[in-house]
Amino acid sequence: MSYLVLELDFLPRFIINTIFIIVLIRGCYYQHSRNRPYAVSFMLFGTGVFMVTHLLHSADISMGFAFGLFAVFSMLRYRTESITIKEMTYLFLVISITLLTAVGPIGLLGISIINSIICIFAYVLETYFLLPLTQEKIIKYEKLENIKPENKSDLIEDLEQRTGLDIKYLNIDSIDFSNGTAKIRIRHKCHHRPK
C-alpha cells in the first residue's frame, strides 16, 4: 500500500520538477548565456537528484540531510572545473527546486507557487530591468598624468571621448612607468547583451 502511495505521489512531483527545471534552465539560464553543456548538465543533475532524493525520502531522510548530501556531491563534481558564480548559483537553484519538489512537506500547489517565484525572480534578474547591463574592458592608457586621483574626472572624460562608451566604473590595475602606460579596467553600459 505504501509503495502505491509512493508511486501516486512520484509522478506529479516528477512532472512539476521537470517543468520548473526546464523553465529555469531553458527560459532563464540558456536564453541569456547560450552555454549548452552546462544547461544539459543542470537538467540531468536536477533529474538525478530528484530520483535519488524521492527514493531516499521513503527511508525517513531529513530535508537538511538530503540538501547537504547533494550540495557536497555537487561541490565534489564541480571543484575540478572552473565554474563561474553564475553557474554555481543556477546549480544551487536547480538543487533547491529539486529538493523542494522531491521531499518538500507542502502540497503540490504550494511547491508550484514557490518554484514559480524562484523562476520569475531569476528571469527578472537576468534581464536589465532591475540591474543595468554592463560590460568590462581592459584598456592600455598612456596619459599617466590623468591617472592621479585628483584627475579622475579628466580620465573618465578622455576615455569616453576616445572609446565612445558610457563608463560607469573604472579601476587602475597596474602602472608601467618604463613604458609610460597604465592598464585600466573599465565597466561601461551597453544596450545589447554581450556575446
Side-chain angles (χ1 to χ4, degrees):
M1 183 66 178
S2 62
Y3 181 76
L4 181 62
V5 170
L6 180 64
E7 287 300 313
L8 291 175
D9 189 41
F10 174 82
L11 189 58
R13 285 180 182 261
F14 179 74
I15 291 170
I16 288 171
N17 183 68
T18 304
I19 289 170
F20 282 104
I21 293 297
I22 290 172
V23 167
L24 178 71
I25 299 306
R26 179 65 180 95
C28 300
Y29 174 75
Y30 184 75
Q31 181 179 348
H32 297 290
S33 70
R34 299 293 180 195
N35 192 335
R36 189 177 188 281
Y38 274 119
V40 171
S41 296
F42 292 152
M43 289 185 189
L44 291 174
F45 194 83
T47 303
V49 169
F50 177 85
M51 296 287 189
V52 174
T53 308
H54 193 77
L55 291 174
L56 290 177
H57 181 59
S58 62
D60 295 328
I61 187 169
S62 72
M63 182 76 162
F65 179 76
F67 193 88
L69 178 69
F70 286 105
V72 167
F73 284 163
S74 66
M75 297 307 121
L76 289 175
R77 165 60 189 91
Y78 288 101
R79 74 182 172 87
T80 57
E81 187 175 332
S82 179
I83 183 170
T84 66
I85 292 174
K86 181 176 179 176
E87 272 78 28
M88 203 60 150
T89 303
Y90 272 99
L91 179 63
F92 177 77
L93 289 177
V94 166
I95 293 171
S96 299
I97 286 174
T98 301
L99 292 178
L100 176 67
T101 307
V103 295
I106 56 178
L108 299 179
L109 179 61
I111 289 170
S112 298
I113 290 170
I114 292 171
N115 288 347
S116 297
I117 290 169
I118 291 171
C119 291
I120 290 168
F121 196 64
Y123 180 79
V124 169
L125 288 176
E126 280 287 359
T127 64
Y128 49 87
F129 179 71
L130 288 180
L131 301 171
L133 191 60
T134 60
Q135 192 172 12
E136 190 174 88
K137 286 190 184 344
I138 297 175
I139 296 174
K140 267 190 175 180
Y141 188 72
E142 79 287 348
K143 290 186 180 178
L144 293 184
E145 66 273 4
N146 282 349
I147 66 169
K148 295 176 182 175
E150 61 267 19
N151 295 337
K152 185 176 181 181
S153 59
D154 294 335
L155 174 61
I156 292 172
E157 185 181 337
D158 186 39
L159 286 171
E160 285 182 338
Q161 284 178 354
R162 290 182 180 202
T163 62
L165 300 173
D166 183 10
I167 297 172
K168 297 297 179 189
Y169 168 82
L170 65 82
N171 185 50
I172 299 168
D173 284 353
S174 63
I175 303 168
D176 186 350
F177 288 107
S178 62
N179 288 336
T181 59
K183 189 166 88 171
I184 301 175
R185 186 181 307 270
I186 65 166
R187 186 158 285 279
H188 63 91
K189 187 175 181 181
C190 57
H191 302 289
H192 57 85
R193 186 167 294 276
K195 294 183 179 179

